[in-house]
Amino acid sequence: MIWLQRFFSWWQGGTWNTFWHTRRHGELVGHDEFGNAYYRTRGGKIHPDLGFERRWVIYKGESEGSSTPTGWFGWLHHIVDTPPTDENYQPREWQKPFRANQTGTPNAWRPQGSLYRSGQRPAATGDYEAWTPGS
Amino acid sequence: MSARRLADDQPSSFEMTPETRARLDRIISKYPEGRQASAVISALWLAQKQNDYWLPRAAIEKVADTLGMPYIRVLEVATFYTMFNLEPVGKYFIQMCGTTPCMLSGSDGIKALLERRIGAQRKVTDDGMFSWLEVECLGACCNAPMVQINDDYYEDLTVENFTTLLDNLAAGRPVETGSQTGRVASEPTGGLTALTSLYGADGKSGPQSLKK
Amino acid sequence: MTKLIVDGIEVDVPAEFTLLQACEQAGKEIPRFCYHERLSIAGNCRMCLVEVKGGPPKPTASCAMSVRDLRPGPNGEPPVVLTNSPMVKKAREGVMEFILINHPLDCPICDQGGECDLQDQAMAYGVDSSRFAENKHAVTDKYIGPLVKTSMNRCIHCTRCVRFTAEIAGTSDMGAIGRGEDMEITTYLQTAMTSELSGNIADICPVGALLPKPQNFRARPWELNKTPGVDVMDAVGSNIRIDTRGREVMRILPRVNDAVNEEWISDKTRQVVDGLKRQRLDRPYVRENGKLRPASWTEAFAAIAARAKTVAPEKIGALAGDLVSVEEMFALKQLVEALGSRNMDCRQDGAKLHPQFGRASWLFNTTIAGIEQADALLIVGSNPRREAPVLNARIRKRWRAGNFAIGLIGEKADLTYDYAYFGAGPESIAEFVSKTPKDIARPMILVGQGALTRPDGAVVLAALAKAAHDIGAIKDGWNGFNVLHTAAARVGGLDIGFTPGEGGHCATAMSNGGVDLLFNLGADEIDVAPGAYVVYIGTHGDRGAHRADVILPGAAYPEMSGLYVNTEGRVQRSDRAAFPPGDAREGWAIFRALSDALGRKLPFDSLGELRAALVAAHPHFGHVDEIAPADAGSIKDLAALGGAFDKAPFGHVVSDFYLTNPIARASAVMAECSAVAAGGYKQAAE
């Protein structure tokens, strides 16, 4: 199916054009834990205009930019040249693992004071304490 | 004038002495039946005199009970009039006049002396002898500067004679009330210049100093 | 009458009018803070300044200047008052600027915002900025009781509260201590106020210095729906305004009715609102195996119907409580009669008032406003201060006017006015009659429930009727025989004859095993002995609900439209301000539905039809806000009854003013008030 989707959508994996470009010029560097594939120009060929090699990623499934792990993010953005797979990269504590956008799900973020935050209905006008028989 | 409120330390009770009570009854009897409340200022004044010149809460309640008034009504009166002291005062409570005529005649020196000798206003000396307060005009401007100590006026003060006066009071020696320079009443300081003889049908009217 | 010209309008007013009243007569509004028409004149806010010609050549405080103090012009021209001249405007702006010097600009966080006299008048006379560069003074907030919160920075020293407690309430709780800029309004050493009318000072406070504490930061006045209602906390029938937001009653305020409550209401009337939200019965309950379980209306009706089949008609009875409306009682009466029973009673305290004595025997015949025409008053077996504080304020008003002798037979108490004490028991009545001069033009006798709830109540009632005759309290144009009730429903109940019929059982008999099936309509002050099957129709989980075998949840007084008859016999209608909680229904609708389940369908389908039937049976209920005068002749018949009475002293019926009914007992605010009052005068200071 993925090849059919490549005709019509750009947000699942890559497009046909990317696919062909990767086949002709790309060189696989590695995969992250989500299965996203990271490529660079074959042999580290320097792009004449940029002055450095090009690096790109083809997502597995939906193209979600935030799902790039921190280690690969550094490599992808030319912050480091060693891919995390080669150096046993350990994310720092403040580098949180990827979590998909929870908007619209029960886990969506509710700011303080939101009616939905506690899971309980707040006291409202017209509330009363009903009597219940003692024993 | 700072806020006038009841003192923090209060005696637990207040009882009128028979003499105070008798005087108060005489004052109350001046007013028609049902109007005893009119005697409230006199009653507070008597209570204050009996209680070393200050009004504790118990005295205010006693006066209210005596006159059949709500406590708050008497408290209103007691906190309104500055002549009612709501905190303990010294054995000699000095009310120093600092209003214009006295100020022009040198009450600043008297004030400085009081501050030096007794300390801040409303503060009782450790031996309990003195406390002082600057008040508004006491109506003896002719003999300025002047102070009132307890019930008496002491006039024509200078720093020197006031120092002597305070020394005498502290030592328990008798003091002269009125003018401290020997002036008779409010006659001119430089001697009489007019009305230099007695006059009138019986020849008895005229300046006080001629009558001696 | 004096003529004067107000802004070009000529008015003719009595000479004793103040300029302010004369200006109001001319339709001119005068701003004011300290002036209040029911309080003495203080003249200390200076906001009511006007310009006069024929008086002092300076802005004049119109509240304190009498019309007779103005003199006519050289050619006899009437004096002229100007209320909107440039001088007046400038003078008032100056006053407003002075008032605002020490008034905090905290309207956004002030509960008075939106109903604040100062806010309103600052719109007209305020300037946009202050020229006052010095420090504002700060005043510590005072504790003055559980009902009124203070924010003394906002106080403008109008002394309305001081005058109210001294004049109307009669307790002299508030005062102004200190002088000049140190003047502070407070109670004596911050004790709690002792008056039962203390909540009113929050109403008369023109700014946000005194605010109702229980309503603190709860609602803004503009978001409330206002419904006219009638109070049921006592039998005065104070006119109230019920303010609701959504379905919640937020507060209760007085409505002006000079014939009843003027513009005061008691603290219980005002602050019982939180009792409407606690301990509510919101679903039917049925007792099974000794335990109450929630049930549906159908189940509950089925249980009642099943029981009704097994009970003989003469073993069925009905009790009506103190807070119910006339319609509810009328519907219940019809239902019980349809079931074939004559056992019904609205006098759960056992008062010996009965329709057979005539309507005049249970009314406050003089009327509340009529107190002001009276010349002398005897109070028997009553503490009006606790039983009807607003009525007591009216007695005090008459007493303050002078030449009003008051006597008391019964328990001694601080009634806020002086009285001669005649004795504790009924034997003092004769003594009173012998000591009373016969030439008093308009004497009144006020009979409290303390004199009538005794076993010999009927004899005491007759003796008092005789005394009323003997002192000349009943004559043409004057009926001085008055019964002061404590229950809002009582007069209505007696009016419709909610009393035992021929051979029927009274409340005491019914509660002590006289009946096997008892319909208890909100009667919570009576213990029902075990044995009877009790159907409780009420609003709160109080004594009645605990004893009940079936509970049918009803509507409290703000939750239904109903007629109430106050102690004078004045029929008043209360409108519905909110809805009953949960499954609860209005009482009349419950009886209509129940009658269907019992197979004795009542002949009405709506409140309107029920009212029509009520008016057809008792025509005076058609005249709302009016008193149908009672025939004084029946008091003469009553006086002839005679009998021997017990020598026991008269008791009191209201031992704790704040906890007299199930709604008040459910209220936390009332519980606090009761605790503070019990703690005495000295306690409760911070």
Side-chain angles (χ1 to χ4, degrees):
Chain A
M1 283 301 280
I2 184 110
W3 58 272
L4 199 63
Q5 281 178 341
R6 279 187 189 136
F7 277 111
F8 299 109
S9 77
W10 49 263
W11 57 85
Q12 301 277 351
T15 57
W16 271 115
N17 205 6
T18 313
F19 177 76
W20 282 118
H21 179 82
T22 308
R23 277 293 292 275
R24 286 175 59 213
H25 304 291
E27 171 188 329
L28 183 68
V29 180
H31 289 92
D32 64 18
E33 62 263 40
F34 303 111
N36 305 328
Y38 295 84
Y39 296 91
R40 63 171 187 161
T41 39
R42 193 168 291 153
K45 186 179 158 224
I46 306 293
H47 191 278
D49 292 339
L50 296 173
F52 47 75
E53 66 179 21
R54 294 188 68 182
R55 298 174 183 172
W56 66 95
V57 57
I58 294 180
Y59 292 102
K60 181 178 167 70
E62 192 177 346
S63 303
E64 163 64 273
S66 309
S67 66
T68 309
T70 48
W72 280 109
F73 182 93
W75 177 82
L76 200 59
H77 290 77
H78 299 274
I79 298 167
V80 294
D81 280 333
T82 324
T85 43
D86 292 356
E87 60 159 357
N88 190 21
Y89 179 81
Q90 289 299 322
R92 294 177 191 274
E93 109 184 88
W94 41 266
Q95 294 175 326
K96 299 292 181 196
F98 168 68
R99 192 161 169 249
N101 191 342
Q102 300 293 304
T103 302
T105 71
N107 295 325
W109 165 252
R110 307 291 182 192
Q112 196 178 12
S114 164
L115 296 180
Y116 299 102
R117 190 176 166 98
S118 67
Q120 271 182 329
R121 189 181 70 88
T125 280
D127 284 1
Y128 59 91
E129 287 171 29
W131 176 76
T132 43
S135 50
Chain B
M1 199 181 354
S2 61
R4 296 168 45 75
R5 300 291 180 264
L6 293 181
D8 292 333
D9 288 331
Q10 292 283 346
S12 56
S13 66
F14 173 87
E15 281 305 323
M16 285 194 196
T17 59
E19 300 83 60
T20 311
R21 183 69 221 209
R23 283 191 67 184
L24 179 57
D25 286 342
R26 211 159 54 242
I27 293 168
I28 292 173
S29 67
K30 292 178 187 171
Y31 300 100
E33 185 60 34
R35 306 278 176 191
Q36 295 88 345
S38 302
V40 62
I41 290 181
S42 310
L44 285 171
W45 183 247
L46 288 174
Q48 164 162 314
K49 274 200 142 175
Q50 185 198 314
N51 193 58
D52 300 330
Y53 253 85
W54 74 285
L55 274 177
R57 171 185 161 182
I60 289 172
E61 289 175 5
K62 184 81 197 167
V63 166
D65 289 338
T66 309
L67 300 177
M69 295 170 74
Y71 290 169
I72 183 76
R73 290 284 98 80
V74 183
L75 183 70
E76 283 176 337
V77 174
T79 55
F80 185 88
Y81 290 104
T82 53
M83 294 78 160
F84 294 125
N85 297 311
L86 302 178
E87 307 164 299
V89 294
K91 184 182 173 198
Y92 298 105
F93 175 52
I94 304 168
Q95 299 180 66
M96 189 216 70
C97 173
T99 312
T100 317
C102 281
M103 192 197 77
L104 293 173
S105 309
S107 71
D108 287 352
I110 306 292
K111 188 175 174 179
L113 174 63
L114 285 167
E115 273 167 355
R116 203 167 57 242
R117 229 183 125 133
I118 299 175
Q121 294 191 41
R122 294 167 189 279
K123 196 182 153 300
V124 184
T125 50
D126 293 337
D127 57 2
M129 290 296 273
F130 293 105
S131 70
W132 74 283
L133 186 65
E134 182 176 343
V135 298
E136 299 308 319
C137 185
L138 289 168
C141 311
C142 283
N143 298 30
M146 59 80 64
V147 299
Q148 180 183 351
I149 301 178
N150 293 353
D151 290 343
D152 294 314
Y153 278 11
Y154 296 83
E155 299 151 344
D156 293 327
L157 299 175
T158 60
V159 173
E160 293 74 37
N161 67 25
F162 191 47
T163 311
T164 325
L165 177 67
L166 291 180
D167 287 342
N168 286 341
L169 285 173
R173 287 189 288 269
V175 293
E176 184 98 353
T177 61
S179 172
Q180 299 299 300
T181 56
R183 169 144 71 128
V184 177
S186 300
E187 289 175 4
T189 38
L192 297 173
T193 54
L195 283 180
T196 50
S197 62
L198 293 174
Y199 60 92
D202 56 357
K204 282 184 182 170
S205 302
Q208 193 97 65
S209 55
L210 297 179
K211 291 189 200 167
K212 290 206 168 154
Chain C
M1 300 291 271
T2 312
K3 270 196 172 56
L4 73 166
I5 295 170
V6 179
D7 290 346
I9 302 166
E10 190 176 292
V11 287
D12 206 6
V13 293
E16 66 272 15
F17 262 36
T18 62
L19 290 188
L20 193 147
Q21 288 170 309
C23 291
E24 295 207 321
Q25 199 90 343
K28 296 290 167 188
E29 197 180 334
I30 307 286
R32 84 285 301 265
F33 294 114
C34 71
Y35 176 80
H36 192 280
E37 54 195 347
R38 294 180 208 278
L39 301 175
S40 63
I41 291 165
N44 51 14
C45 77
R46 316 308 290 180
M47 197 61 206
C48 61
L49 295 173
V50 295
E51 183 178 354
V52 290
K53 288 175 185 159
K58 58 176 183 177
T60 305
S62 61
C63 71
M65 186 89 173
S66 168
V67 167
R68 69 158 69 89
D69 293 339
L70 300 182
R71 58 178 189 275
N75 306 315
E77 304 99 331
V80 173
V81 179
L82 299 172
T83 68
N84 52 12
S85 68
M87 187 240 245
V88 171
K89 185 157 170 51
K90 186 153 187 252
R92 288 182 188 164
E93 279 173 357
V95 170
M96 177 61 75
E97 198 174 351
F98 272 121
I99 288 175
L100 289 177
I101 274 181
N102 275 317
H103 190 84
L105 303 179
D106 59 355
C107 304
I109 58 149
C110 175
D111 268 348
Q112 189 89 351
E115 50 183 7
C116 174
D117 289 1
L118 183 57
Q119 216 178 19
D120 295 347
Q121 291 173 34
M123 297 302 289
Y125 298 103
V127 286
D128 61 345
S129 60
S130 174
R131 291 183 283 169
F132 188 72
E134 284 76 25
N135 293 328
K136 290 193 173 205
H137 78 173
V139 186
T140 49
D141 293 344
K142 308 288 188 292
Y143 174 86
I144 62 171
L147 296 180
V148 182
K149 178 200 148 189
T150 63
S151 181
M152 296 320 276
N153 276 342
R154 298 176 186 147
C155 178
I156 60 169
H157 301 149
C158 70
T159 68
R160 272 186 187 180
C161 53
V162 178
R163 284 174 283 146
F164 176 84
T165 54
E167 294 164 14
I168 308 286
T171 48
S172 288
D173 289 316
M174 306 286 291
I177 61 166
R179 66 191 289 181
E181 71 162 343
D182 298 316
M183 178 169 149
E184 291 181 11
I185 300 286
T186 179
T187 53
Y188 183 67
L189 305 178
Q190 303 200 32
T191 44
M193 284 188 286
T194 52
S195 171
E196 289 81 7
L197 296 166
S198 62
N200 290 301
I201 65 168
D203 281 350
I204 59 171
C205 182
V207 294
L210 304 175
L211 293 164
K213 202 180 259 181
Q215 277 82 40
N216 196 12
F217 302 137
R218 296 286 157 82
R220 283 300 196 180
W222 56 82
E223 58 188 19
L224 299 173
N225 287 324
K226 292 128 185 128
T227 314
V230 173
D231 172 52
V232 299
M233 293 297 126
D234 52 36
V236 174
S238 300
N239 288 201
I240 52 172
R241 193 184 92 190
I242 303 161
D243 283 9
T244 48
R245 186 177 61 192
R247 52 182 298 160
E248 183 182 16
V249 177
M250 298 304 292
R251 63 174 178 180
I252 288 174
L253 294 178
R255 240 178 334 129
V256 178
N257 186 340
D258 281 328
V260 182
N261 58 324
E262 298 183 281
E263 58 178 277
W264 320 120
I265 52 175
S266 73
D267 289 349
K268 190 165 47 171
T269 305
R270 181 185 301 268
Q271 294 301 0
V272 79
V273 284
D274 72 323
L276 294 166
K277 295 203 293 176
R278 292 208 177 79
Q279 299 276 39
R280 286 309 297 267
L281 302 175
D282 65 342
R283 70 196 71 175
Y285 287 90
V286 174
R287 193 177 289 277
E288 275 177 7
N289 306 323
K291 281 198 159 191
L292 286 166
R293 68 159 181 87
S296 69
W297 280 100
T298 333
E299 285 175 286
F301 284 161
I304 299 166
R307 177 57 68 131
K309 275 197 196 99
T310 66
V311 176
E314 66 274 11
K315 282 293 198 182
I316 295 176
L319 270 176
D322 295 344
L323 311 180
V324 297
S325 70
V326 173
E327 290 95 330
E328 286 175 296
M329 281 186 285
F330 187 69
L332 178 56
K333 183 181 182 216
Q334 297 223 313
L335 176 63
V336 173
E337 282 174 350
L339 289 168
S341 167
R342 293 164 187 281
N343 305 319
M344 61 184 96
D345 205 341
C346 62
R347 305 161 301 176
Q348 53 171 327
D349 56 7
K352 299 291 181 289
L353 297 164
H354 198 277
Q356 76 191 43
F357 301 140
R359 190 162 184 253
S361 71
W362 70 75
L363 290 191
F364 200 91
N365 292 297
T366 307
T367 73
I368 295 172
I371 294 173
E372 291 179 38
Q373 268 88 53
D375 295 319
L377 167 69
L378 174 71
I379 299 168
V380 184
S382 174
N383 181 343
R385 180 173 171 187
R386 280 204 216 137
E387 292 167 18
V390 174
L391 188 138
N392 198 52
R394 193 69 82 112
I395 297 176
R396 181 177 156 79
K397 184 184 181 188
R398 174 66 193 86
W399 175 76
R400 268 171 57 80
N403 292 325
F404 190 53
I406 302 175
L408 176 72
I409 297 177
E411 262 184 18
K412 278 187 181 178
D414 177 11
L415 298 180
T416 72
Y417 36 79
D418 297 335
Y419 53 81
Y421 189 64
F422 285 99
E427 73 277 4
S428 310
I429 298 172
E431 187 197 332
F432 159 76
V433 172
S434 66
K435 279 186 183 168
T436 306
K438 301 287 173 284
D439 54 351
I440 302 174
R442 285 187 287 267
M444 25 183 315
I445 289 186
L446 188 156
V447 186
Q449 299 300 305
L452 303 174
T453 51
R454 313 150 43 101
D456 60 347
V459 182
V460 173
L461 185 68
L464 288 164
K466 186 166 180 308
H469 259 286
D470 292 349
I471 63 167
I474 294 160
K475 52 184 105 175
D476 270 353
W478 182 257
N479 188 342
F481 184 78
N482 300 292
V483 177
L484 177 61
H485 291 269
T486 54
R490 188 66 46 84
V491 178
L494 290 165
D495 276 4
I496 63 165
F498 201 93
T499 43
E502 200 99 348
H505 291 305
C506 72
T508 327
M510 280 191 276
S511 60
N512 288 315
V515 291
D516 289 339
L517 173 59
L518 179 64
F519 292 100
N520 180 350
L521 176 58
D524 287 293
E525 321 301 323
I526 191 166
D527 275 318
V528 181
Y533 190 81
V534 180
V535 179
Y536 179 77
I537 305 101
T539 58
H540 285 69
D542 207 77
R543 197 190 294 184
H546 285 99
R547 170 62 187 85
D549 295 294
V550 176
I551 296 175
L552 304 176
Y557 67 103
E559 293 153 9
M560 62 181 175
S561 177
L563 294 173
Y564 298 92
V565 190
N566 79 352
T567 191
E568 323 168 86
R570 185 184 302 275
V571 180
Q572 299 188 102
R573 198 180 69 218
S574 183
D575 286 346
R576 176 162 70 194
F579 287 93
D583 286 342
R585 294 290 180 271
E586 293 178 32
W588 71 268
I590 295 175
F591 295 126
R592 169 66 183 76
L594 180 60
S595 70
D596 232 353
L598 295 176
R600 305 277 202 288
K601 194 170 158 187
L602 291 175
F604 49 82
D605 291 324
S606 69
L607 188 58
E609 287 174 30
L610 169 59
R611 281 208 180 122
L614 175 65
V615 171
H618 307 280
H620 67 275
F621 283 103
H623 304 284
V624 172
D625 289 334
E626 286 175 28
I627 304 173
D631 174 26
S634 58
I635 296 175
K636 194 170 277 176
D637 304 339
L638 178 62
L641 282 182
F645 42 67
D646 191 13
K647 279 210 182 335
F650 294 127
H652 55 254
V653 285
V654 177
S655 50
D656 191 337
F657 165 72
Y658 297 101
L659 303 174
T660 53
N661 60 53
I663 305 181
R665 283 190 289 268
S667 158
V669 176
M670 287 297 108
E672 191 189 349
C673 285
S674 170
V676 169
Y681 187 60
K682 288 279 184 289
Q683 253 185 7
E686 289 172 298

